[in-house]
Structure formats: C-alpha cells, structure tokens
Amino acid sequence: MPEDSIAHIDFDELNRKAISQPLVKQIYTADPSAHVFNGKIYIYPSHDIDAGDAFDDLGSHFAMEDYHVLSINHPAETEATDHGVALHVKDVPWAEKQLWAPDAAEKDGKYYLFFPAKGYDGIFRIGVATSTSPIGPFIAQPEAIKGSFSIDPAVFKDDDGQYYMYFGGIWGGQLQRWRKGNFNAADASSPFAHLPNDDESALCAKVARLSDDLLAFDETPKDVVVLDEKGLPLLQGDNDRRFFEASWMHKYKGKYYFSYSTGDTHYLCYAMGDDPYGPFTYAGRILNPVVGWTSHHSICEFNGKWYLFYHDSSLSKGVTHLRSVKVTEIIYNDDGTIQTIDPYKV
Ligand code: FUB
C-alpha cells in the first residue's frame, strides 16, 4: 500500500484486522530472511531506524547501520528473541552506509551473513561476514564479493549441496545501472535512468553459484528469467508482475519457486521452474500489498508446514522506513500453486 494512501487509515482497526502481529516491537525490523538451524528458526532482518533522511525514490530514507538476529522456537510464538547487534557498518571495511536486506546460510557448522551496502563510491555491492554462531557476532570480509552488485542477496542451498545467490533490485537498488556490465553513473539522482522501455523484456534478478567456501561467486551472474503464460519474458511495463527486488528461492515437491517483490505495485509474486537457474513461469501472487511502500519476504519450512515471513509498517502507523517483521502460514494447492494471502482480514 503506497505511502500517499495511508492518510485515512485507522491503524487501531487495521491492527485488529492484521492476520499477524510484529514479532518484535522494541525495534523496527524488515526484510526477514528465515532459516531453520539446529531445530530453531533464526530470522535475519534489516534493522530499520529513522536517520532523518527524506523519502525519495532512491530509498535514501533506508539508512540502516546494523543487523540484529531474531529467533523463535516455533512460528506460533508471538514474540521473538532479539539477540542484539550481530554486525555494524563501522566494522565493514568496504561499506559506508545503508545495510539493506540480508540473508544467511550455514555450512559445516559455520554461519554466513550476506548483506548489501553502499560503498564510499555510492555503489551498492554485496558482502559476506562469518561466525561460529547463528546469532553472530559476524566478522566481515575485508572486501565485497568480487563481481557482486546491487542489493537483496538470498542464498539457497539445493539438495545436491550447491549454494546459489539470487540478488538484485531496480530503482535505488541500482540493477539498471549494470545493464552493460559496468556501473553507469550517468543521471545519478534518477532511479528511472537506464531502465528498459516498457515494451522491452524486464530487467531480471541475477543468480550465481557460490564457491565451496561461500565467500565468492563461482561463475558470472546469470539472468533469472520469468516467462509469461505464452513462454515470453515478462515486459518491463508489466509492473504488476515484473521483478523489482526481494528475491527468494525455495523448493517444494521438487519444483523451484522464485519469489520477489513487484516494488511500485507492492505485490509479492512467484514463478515456478524445474532448475535453480530457471527459466521460471509466472504463477501468481503470494501476498497482497501491506501498509508501507515495500514488501519483502522469505519462505521457510518448519515441521512439515510452510511459512511466509514478511513485514509491514502497521506498528509505525505507515512510516515507510519503519517496518516490523511478521509470519503467517502458506497454503499450497494440490497443483503446487500458492494461495494468495491478504495481510488484513476484510
Ligand atoms: O530495506 C531496504 C530495502 O527495502 C530492501 O533492500 C528492499 O528489498 C526493500 O524492502
């Protein structure tokens, strides 16, 4: 739900209608990436703060400085444990600001926090930090991942033990500036410069297999192509369905589900495929718009049920950059499609 349409919302009423409540209320959190490690659910969110930056279409108001890890023992728990600061931007040598949506992975008892941040050159890249504990503290690598760019890393471990990173985001996420392989700094203040025309194929999220130590790309990132019902790539002008940001990958009954946010139309959508590289065919909406401009999620299995971790701005009464993470169950239809969730009961 865009910010300009919140003026008349009765937030007490909205919170009564909400299908779930914030998992933490003492801090603002967003972009929740949930994983089950050692039988417990760990949530890796952005830590939203009000740094005083004005709203703009580049997302300058998302000026986050650190990450906290949250945990719950079961999705029915109403209050998550906040494990405190796991990584601060001042401890990331290459990063200046804007710690946006992170993700985490575990391999051989070691934990990896993947995160985007803007460097001192104003360019978003993706870094990695490691820890012996799922709650950190995490120690950042001295440099961003070589060949990385843009935002919103999501790391998926396939059944064969290979790890893949899905990433990217348009507008303030700068993906459109990398269309020719190098960062295009022209028209720096415009979130729309360098986007394809509406009748051209939409910009795609990217996917790259990770190296064995999970600290590097093992290949040049490839396009995550989403096809329409005719087998044609979605068009850039198809704002209700095309990729904007917030990639996630999960596997259900042997199918790969690539899910993402449509950004300016505020949907969480998904597309299905038979291979981690795609192509994927658009399959529908997972979540209708929430209060707040952004929508961002993860999907996680726990004890045989599937859950959507998402956020909204209901606790802050609609402030775009002060969001709260929530969880609700996902229901699959027999054909593998996902039932669309309304975040507020009608
Ligand atoms: O939290 C900052 C940015 O907002 C994320 O990186 C995007 O996915 C959007 O949720």
Side-chain angles (χ1 to χ4, degrees):
M1 202 177 292
E3 195 171 61
D4 53 11
S5 64
I6 62 166
H8 304 293
I9 293 178
D10 173 346
F11 279 96
D12 292 333
E13 174 72 5
L14 182 96
N15 284 329
R16 275 194 295 277
K17 287 184 174 169
I19 58 167
S20 48
Q21 296 300 320
L23 285 170
V24 285
K25 291 186 174 167
Q26 69 278 21
I27 58 171
Y28 290 107
T29 54
D31 311 323
S33 294
H35 294 274
V36 178
F37 296 138
N38 311 316
K40 198 179 175 93
I41 302 171
Y42 290 92
I43 306 162
Y44 298 84
S46 301
H47 174 200
D48 283 355
I49 55 168
D50 188 358
D53 299 272
F55 178 100
D56 66 24
D57 286 330
L58 288 170
S60 309
H61 45 304
F62 296 109
M64 298 83 105
E65 296 176 352
D66 64 16
Y67 293 114
H68 287 218
V69 180
L70 311 177
S71 69
I72 46 178
N73 292 305
H74 189 280
E77 259 178 39
T78 52
E79 206 175 320
T81 301
D82 173 1
H83 296 279
V85 177
L87 179 70
H88 195 284
V89 69
K90 68 176 167 36
D91 298 319
V92 183
W94 61 270
E96 184 191 8
K97 60 183 179 182
Q98 290 181 292
L99 293 187
W100 284 14
D103 192 18
E106 181 271 344
K107 187 175 184 186
D108 300 332
K110 201 167 165 185
Y111 297 87
Y112 299 79
L113 182 70
F114 300 92
F115 58 95
K118 247 182 210 167
Y120 292 90
D121 53 4
I123 299 177
F124 267 117
R125 291 195 171 79
I126 295 169
V128 55
T130 62
S131 176
T132 54
S133 164
I135 60 171
F138 289 88
I139 308 296
Q141 294 293 298
E143 306 282 347
I145 294 173
K146 194 162 175 256
S148 72
F149 51 91
S150 196
I151 59 166
D152 289 3
V155 172
F156 165 72
K157 180 187 180 186
D158 207 347
D159 299 334
D160 61 1
Q162 296 284 351
Y163 290 74
Y164 300 86
M165 181 188 289
Y166 297 80
F167 65 95
I170 62 173
W171 292 23
Q174 303 178 338
L175 186 61
Q176 68 279 4
R177 296 187 171 274
W178 291 92
R179 286 177 69 191
K180 302 231 161 75
N182 295 311
F183 185 79
N184 187 339
D187 302 314
S189 61
S190 170
F192 313 118
H194 317 298
L195 283 168
N197 295 323
D198 281 357
D199 60 354
E200 292 179 307
S201 294
L203 268 187
C204 295
K206 300 286 178 184
V207 56
R209 193 179 57 242
L210 295 179
S211 56
D212 280 347
D213 62 8
L214 304 193
L215 300 178
F217 289 164
D218 210 19
E219 60 186 354
T220 303
K222 299 172 166 60
D223 280 349
V224 180
V225 178
V226 178
L227 304 173
D228 67 12
E229 57 289 346
K230 294 184 187 137
L232 300 170
L234 294 183
L235 299 181
Q236 192 65 32
D238 190 350
N239 294 45
D240 281 349
R241 302 194 295 176
R242 59 93 174 91
F243 171 78
F244 189 102
E245 63 188 3
S247 296
W248 190 257
M249 171 58 63
H250 77 283
K251 205 172 176 180
Y252 175 78
K253 294 192 175 172
K255 286 271 182 199
Y256 294 85
Y257 289 66
F258 174 65
S259 48
Y260 55 94
S261 165
T262 62
D264 56 342
T265 49
H266 318 286
Y267 297 113
L268 289 180
C269 291
Y270 70 107
M272 296 165 64
D274 296 313
D275 188 282
Y277 291 106
F280 300 93
T281 301
Y282 180 85
R285 292 177 187 161
I286 301 174
L287 185 70
N288 281 327
V290 292
V291 167
W293 200 97
T294 66
S295 201
H296 192 123
H297 70 300
S298 62
I299 293 170
C300 174
E301 184 183 13
F302 186 79
N303 284 351
K305 289 188 170 187
W306 289 83
Y307 296 91
L308 178 75
F309 290 78
Y310 65 106
H311 68 226
D312 74 6
S313 295
S314 57
L315 184 65
S316 68
K317 297 196 180 339
V319 180
T320 308
H321 59 283
L322 297 178
R323 302 160 290 177
S324 302
V325 302
K326 298 180 158 189
V327 59
T328 193
E329 192 178 343
I330 280 181
I331 306 293
Y332 292 89
N333 297 310
D334 290 344
D335 63 358
T337 55
I338 295 173
Q339 293 185 9
T340 305
I341 297 167
D342 279 314
Y344 315 98
K345 291 177 226 116
V346 191

